[in-house]
Amino acid sequence: NAGVTQTPKFRILKIGQSMTLQCTQDMNHNYMYWYRQDPGMGLKLIYYSVGAGITDKGEVPNGYNVSRSTTEDFPLRLELAAPSQTSVYFCASRGDREGFGYTFGSGTRLTVV
Amino acid sequence: EDKVVQSPLSLVVHEGDTVTLNCSYEVTNFRSLLWYKQEKKAPTFLFMLTSSGIEKKSGRLSSILDKKELFSILNITATQTGDSAVYLCAVVQTSGTYKYIFGTGTRLKVLA
């Protein structure tokens, strides 16, 4: 049981480049989330999804896009990368019973130069 | 504005010490409060608290919630170097769907 798998683990982008952060879960969870974690700033919600075909903005959605064509996959797209998007990105999922909390992926460290 | 505040921001102790980490919150439509431990990788789930005064316990870790005073504490007794991590508090808010609001975390370093 792999849980939540994120790729890549590290990436350096140049300003203006685009990329997609991949997130896959094999727990049949309906709820999936993308967070970014800046030093000393805690986790900020970028986008979330309550099921396949449904996505919604979180606190800091600007500069990002998501899609949820299947229950398993929730990719995060960065268009026109900016230095302000340098951060660690976490994907998470949870089942319908929130009592077990989130299961997080291992994170993607992104640097935009 | 909804917020979750953790204190202290960082803490250095020696092995065997007992530590208390604090999480206070001002959140509308409160549903539950969760504690996570984050080492070098992703946060891992520790506890979920929904009712006041009921202690959750797992080994040397325990946590309790006070919904009247709007805070929770996480206690770690007989600390070990493996307890060194960032401890995150998150409040779950219900407004149609569940929204998690995270604190900035407490960085704990346990010295041998």
Side-chain angles (χ1 to χ4, degrees), chain A residues 11 19 22 40-41 52 54 56 64 66-67 81 90 94 101 112-113:
Chain A
R11 184 71 186 269
M19 76 165 295
Q22 302 291 344
M41 296 297 289
I54 307 170
D56 208 348
Y64 307 94
V66 293
S67 60
F90 287 102
R94 70 169 180 87
V112 181
V113 296

Side-chain angles (χ1 to χ4, degrees), chain B residues 38-90:
Chain B
Q38 184 177 21
E39 297 170 89
K40 290 188 176 179
K41 294 185 177 178
T44 54
F45 176 72
L46 294 175
F47 298 112
M48 187 185 82
L49 304 159
T50 55
S51 301
S52 277
I54 298 176
E55 185 182 52
K56 292 283 183 85
K57 203 167 168 64
S58 176
R60 295 176 294 101
L61 277 65
S62 64
S63 184
I64 198 161
L65 173 67
D66 186 327
K67 290 169 75 174
K68 183 179 177 185
E69 300 297 329
L70 307 182
F71 77 92
S72 173
I73 60 172
L74 175 68
N75 277 323
I76 309 174
T77 59
T79 52
Q80 303 171 356
T81 55
D83 295 327
S84 296
V86 174
Y87 290 84
L88 294 170
C89 169

Side-chain angles (χ1 to χ4, degrees), chain A residues 55-75:
Chain A
T55 63
D56 208 348
K57 296 178 180 178
E59 302 169 78
V60 290
N62 293 340
Y64 307 94
N65 271 303
V66 293
S67 60
R68 185 90 183 274
S69 56
T70 66
T71 299
E72 293 78 20
D73 300 308
F74 191 41

Side-chain angles (χ1 to χ4, degrees), chain A residues 1-44:
Chain A
N1 190 342
V4 178
T5 303
Q6 278 184 248
T7 56
K9 294 192 185 306
F10 305 96
R11 184 71 186 269
I12 298 174
L13 280 182
K14 293 184 178 179
I15 294 171
Q17 287 185 319
S18 300
M19 76 165 295
T20 299
L21 280 64
Q22 302 291 344
C23 177
T24 299
Q25 52 92 8
D26 61 359
M27 297 170 285
N28 202 33
H29 284 171
N30 281 320
Y31 296 86
M32 295 189 75
Y33 306 81
W34 274 105
Y35 285 89
R36 58 177 287 173
Q37 187 175 39
D38 301 327
M41 296 297 289
L43 288 155
K44 295 289 186 184

Side-chain angles (χ1 to χ4, degrees), chain A residues 29 31 33 93-104, chain B residues 31-36 44-51 56 90-94 98-100:
Chain A
H29 284 171
Y31 296 86
Y33 306 81
S93 73
R94 70 169 180 87
D96 292 343
R97 291 177 61 195
E98 106 270 18
F100 299 103
Y102 284 170
T103 299
F104 281 87
Chain B
R31 179 170 181 89
S32 58
L33 185 146
L34 292 86
W35 284 96
Y36 289 85
T44 54
F45 176 72
L46 294 175
F47 298 112
M48 187 185 82
L49 304 159
T50 55
S51 301
K56 292 283 183 85
V91 171
V92 183
Q93 180 187 48
T94 56
Y98 299 134
K99 178 182 173 184
Y100 284 55

